[in-house]
Amino acid sequence: MSEVKHNWTKEAILDIYNKPLMELLYEAATVHRKFHDPNTVQVSTLLSIKTGGCPEDCGYCPQAARYHTDVEGNDLMSVQQVKAQALRAKSSGSSRVCMGAAWRNVKDGPEFDNVLEMVRTINKLDMEVCCTLGMITENQAQRLAEAGLYAYNHNLDTSEDYYKDVISTRAFKDRLDTIGNVRKSNVTVCSGGIIGMGEKIEDRAGMLVALATLDPQPESVPINALVAVPGTPMEDIEPISIWEMIRMVATTRIVMPETQVRLSAGRTEMSREGQAMCFFAGANSIFAGDKLLTTPNPDVNQDMEMFKLLGLNPQKPFTKIAQPKTVEAQDSQFQTLGEKPKWSRPGHTIDRNESAKQKAKLSE
């Protein structure tokens, strides 16, 4: 219980997940208190800096261009717009800003240069900066690190076995390769997934095996509950129960004791009591603000009321790892290479994704 292990098996994780709930909660809470302050939770703000128009076919995502959803696309925000949003988030108690762009992968050029400037700007506000921009190369990871990036998010989404039933436009290995490229810099890794996409419990364990056997383990692991958005292939999937979320959080805490476990999408469907049990089970981070990229999220004032009720305190920035230094663009040791990496396109089709695509064409 006191050691970080990297030799987890699916069977061992399933044994933990399926424990009687009270035993599971007791073990998770004990691990949590050994490695973390149980009364401190990080508040992060997720900001969509470029929305919609993504060429991928992720079955859960309303930003995929091929599906017909109510998401309004927008071009890349300006540095000043992002700075204003970051200052607003900081004043509301957030210590981290995560910027998301609906890209398949990062492409060298003016837009990426602007993202680098956004990173520099937010880091200078003494806030942790996280980005989720799709697949990236080692050189791009190093340029982000120089700008002052604290974390890079690249979710595995689900197990390798179930991945092919969710996404056909990229491979599971692309996710691992991107995480590997981030690890070659001094940027921390944020990687987790979504439960409630029709996967089996074995797939949830499989995802945790993929994450927990990384060395080092990710510094952050978001656990999302599927938000079934109309127009996406998964629009008709029924929500998971709060008990499944609690079990997943508790299991994640036990197998990755030093990691920040992030209670992410799906909180609008959770009661305060349910969220409190997730915190007890080891979750120590939430995303605040009225949206998570494009899906609903509890209002920050409601979250602060919940914190007060539960006696929780927002975590200060750079509590776990020291603030990175910002290198200005003109002093960068890593210049644009104009890379054109060949990320994979597996080529298989997913029936429900194809059906949603055809339905979108008929509605045009």
Side-chain angles (χ1 to χ4, degrees):
M1 191 182 293
S2 61
E3 298 294 330
V4 177
K5 294 168 49 180
H6 300 281
N7 60 344
W8 287 99
T9 64
K10 187 186 295 186
E11 291 72 24
I13 291 177
L14 283 171
D15 285 345
I16 294 170
Y17 184 96
N18 289 318
K19 281 188 176 187
L21 184 62
M22 297 308 164
E23 289 185 25
L24 176 61
L25 284 174
Y26 178 79
E27 182 176 348
T30 303
V31 172
H32 187 51
R33 279 151 180 75
K34 180 176 177 62
F35 290 89
H36 306 272
D37 178 353
N39 296 316
T40 299
V41 173
Q42 184 173 47
V43 181
S44 304
T45 293
L46 188 53
L47 179 62
S48 182
I49 58 173
K50 187 274 178 184
T51 306
C54 183
E56 303 279 46
D57 77 333
C58 306
Y60 53 80
C61 186
Q63 298 201 65
R66 66 190 68 203
Y67 309 136
H68 182 71
T69 64
D70 291 332
V71 169
E72 294 185 12
N74 67 266
D75 294 332
L76 188 69
M77 294 172 66
S78 70
V79 175
Q80 287 305 312
Q81 286 175 316
V82 168
K83 182 178 181 179
Q85 293 286 350
L87 286 169
R88 180 182 169 210
K90 185 176 183 179
S91 68
S92 297
S94 288
S95 61
R96 177 184 289 209
V97 171
C98 184
M99 298 184 289
W103 293 333
R104 169 176 163 83
N105 59 279
V106 171
K107 296 178 181 178
D108 291 341
E111 287 196 322
F112 185 45
D113 291 340
N114 282 340
V115 171
L116 293 172
E117 194 56 40
M118 293 173 192
V119 172
R120 294 186 185 98
T121 300
I122 298 174
N123 190 46
K124 291 174 186 176
L125 297 177
D126 295 327
M127 300 183 76
E128 295 175 12
V129 194
C130 178
C131 281
T132 179
L133 311 170
M135 280 96 72
I136 60 172
T137 66
E138 180 182 348
N139 179 264
Q140 290 163 344
Q142 294 288 7
R143 293 177 70 198
L144 284 164
E146 273 195 332
L149 191 70
Y150 187 88
Y152 194 83
N153 168 261
H154 202 62
N155 288 337
L156 297 185
D157 292 333
T158 187
S159 70
E160 185 171 7
D161 290 339
Y162 194 63
Y163 194 85
K164 63 183 180 296
D165 295 312
V166 178
I167 301 159
S168 72
T169 51
R170 61 171 184 255
F172 193 80
K173 185 177 181 296
D174 292 328
R175 316 303 277 179
L176 296 174
D177 288 347
T178 289
I179 291 171
N181 288 336
V182 173
R183 279 293 182 216
K184 294 172 185 174
S185 71
N186 63 358
V187 175
T188 65
V189 168
C190 177
S191 185
I194 307 168
I195 65 172
M197 297 190 294
E199 77 285 346
K200 299 176 182 177
I201 294 175
E202 287 79 5
D203 292 306
R204 297 175 191 177
M207 181 185 77
L208 291 182
V209 168
L211 293 168
T213 53
L214 293 173
D215 192 0
Q217 293 176 344
E219 286 80 2
S220 298
V221 173
I223 302 297
N224 299 273
L226 175 70
V227 177
V229 178
T232 64
M234 296 184 177
E235 64 180 355
D236 294 325
I237 294 181
E238 291 296 318
I240 60 166
S241 73
I242 185 61
W243 306 112
E244 292 174 89
M245 196 69 175
I246 292 167
R247 282 189 177 276
M248 191 66 180
V249 167
T251 306
T252 304
R253 168 51 65 225
I254 293 168
V255 301
M256 288 178 274
E258 294 182 343
T259 293
Q260 294 263 132
V261 179
R262 302 186 179 277
L263 194 59
S264 300
R267 283 202 303 124
T268 53
E269 303 302 316
M270 299 180 199
S271 67
R272 284 185 174 178
E273 293 85 352
Q275 292 180 69
M277 290 193 73
C278 286
F279 294 136
F280 182 76
N284 57 347
S285 177
I286 62 168
F287 284 104
D290 58 354
K291 277 190 177 181
L292 287 186
L293 294 182
T294 58
T295 54
N297 198 50
D299 178 77
V300 66
N301 292 324
Q302 294 176 349
D303 285 331
M304 291 303 101
E305 289 175 8
M306 178 175 65
F307 273 37
K308 184 176 180 181
L309 182 68
L310 300 178
L312 298 175
N313 301 306
Q315 180 180 300
K316 294 181 179 179
F318 314 113
T319 298
K320 303 291 184 180
I321 295 173
Q323 182 176 8
K325 294 181 179 179
T326 287
V327 176
E328 299 300 336
Q330 64 270 21
D331 300 321
S332 174
Q333 295 181 4
F334 296 91
Q335 303 302 317
T336 179
L337 299 178
E339 297 173 281
K340 295 181 179 180
K342 293 184 178 180
W343 300 103
S344 67
R345 293 184 182 275
H348 68 283
T349 58
I350 303 171
D351 288 344
R352 64 183 172 194
N353 291 15
E354 290 300 308
S355 296
K357 180 181 175 181
Q358 294 304 318
K359 183 179 176 181
K361 285 184 178 180
L362 293 173
S363 65
E364 289 177 353

